[in-house]
Amino acid sequence: MGSYRIIPVPTGRNDGRCYVLVCTETNKAAVIDVDVNVEQLSNVLMAEGASLEFILLTHCHFDHVSGSDALRERTGARTAIHSLDLPGLSDPMLNMSGPFRQPPITGRHVDAELAEGSVLSVGNLIVRVLHTPGHTP
């Protein structure tokens, strides 16, 4: 499977966190959920000497996706989310940005749709999707 490190990165909003997953054998990385602080995430990746391959979004709520496009543009990483959460990326009521964030989120770029059992490689790591509906579809 490969060795790895997980780095929690506080987002400053609602005690939220995003996570940087780094394959320590290859220095390839994935970021799990991206709030607005792309600069802070970029600094963590640079400090780790990591190259970002994937932006993995656990669900469509604004406090998990709001910085994904900016990080994608900065790094060239591919963005992925479960297919059932795709509609929420363009609907401010579903992604909760309508009532809580201005301007509301009305779209995010996605390179890959995920489903239960989807498998991604991050360096030598194998990441398998476990669909856990409830908070969103």
Side-chain angles (χ1 to χ4, degrees):
M1 174 171 142
S3 60
Y4 62 92
R5 183 171 36 260
I6 297 175
I7 303 144
V9 181
T11 64
R13 185 195 332 247
N14 302 323
D15 293 325
R17 299 267 187 282
C18 64
Y19 298 89
V20 178
L21 170 67
V22 179
C23 173
T24 56
E25 297 168 0
T26 64
N27 284 337
K28 301 292 184 182
V31 168
I32 302 164
D33 290 338
V34 182
D35 201 357
V36 294
N37 200 337
V38 171
E39 189 66 33
Q40 183 179 9
L41 281 171
S42 296
N43 290 340
V44 169
L45 290 164
M46 190 172 8
E48 291 293 320
S51 171
L52 188 62
E53 291 191 322
F54 284 102
I55 299 164
L56 305 176
L57 304 175
T58 60
H59 63 288
C60 66
H61 287 164
F62 75 95
D63 55 336
H64 294 259
V65 306
S66 59
S68 62
D69 279 356
L71 187 61
R72 182 182 180 278
E73 289 170 16
R74 182 177 282 204
T75 64
R78 297 179 64 210
T79 302
I81 192 169
H82 193 281
S83 61
L84 293 177
D85 271 293
L86 277 175
L89 293 178
S90 58
D91 184 329
M93 294 311 288
L94 291 176
N95 64 44
M96 304 298 291
S97 66
F100 298 111
R101 183 175 186 274
Q102 292 302 318
I105 292 174
T106 57
R108 287 290 176 265
H109 185 90
V110 173
D111 299 291
E113 294 181 32
L114 303 174
E116 173 70 26
S118 294
V119 175
L120 302 168
S121 295
V122 179
N124 293 336
L125 304 175
I126 303 300
V127 177
R128 185 175 312 276
V129 174
L130 301 175
H131 184 221
T132 54
H135 188 61
T136 61

